Amino acid sequence: MRAGEARRGPVDAPDGAVPRGPATATISTLQEAIRQGVRVWIGYLDSQGNATSRILEPARMEGGYLTAYDETRAAVHRFALHRITGVSNLS
């Protein structure tokens, strides 16, 4: 988080579930977030298949990966697109 920025939480999801949606909608939403420079909340399956969620600032998509600043880990990280279960804009 940069100095002076307040941490905002994700949009309320049904029953507190991580975002889920069709792959085409996920890709479109991520492309739009990259164009607009906005943060998103994603659902993600780790390498063991456990569901998690992350707040990201997406930078680019290429070769089946999303490169984004991961606020959860405070670092730039590459996410396999096939492991992203869904995406939601932040309020």
Side-chain angles (χ1 to χ4, degrees):
M1 184 168 12
R2 295 180 194 106
E5 288 183 343
R7 185 175 297 274
R8 293 177 285 176
V11 173
D12 290 333
D15 302 321
V18 297
R20 293 197 173 273
T24 54
T26 296
I27 298 298
S28 296
T29 303
L30 289 171
Q31 288 172 332
E32 188 62 25
I34 291 167
R35 277 193 291 276
Q36 293 182 5
V38 296
R39 297 181 314 149
V40 294
W41 180 42
I42 67 163
Y44 193 74
L45 296 176
D46 66 17
S47 60
Q48 288 78 39
N50 299 312
T52 185
S53 66
R54 303 287 176 88
I55 296 174
L56 307 177
E57 292 179 24
R60 70 178 175 270
M61 279 192 294
E62 61 188 9
Y65 288 88
L66 170 70
T67 302
Y69 176 75
D70 180 352
E71 289 191 9
T72 309
R73 294 189 176 172
V76 174
H77 185 73
R78 285 177 35 137
F79 296 88
L81 290 173
H82 72 274
R83 290 188 180 173
I84 297 176
T85 62
V87 62
S88 180
N89 293 316
L90 292 172
S91 58

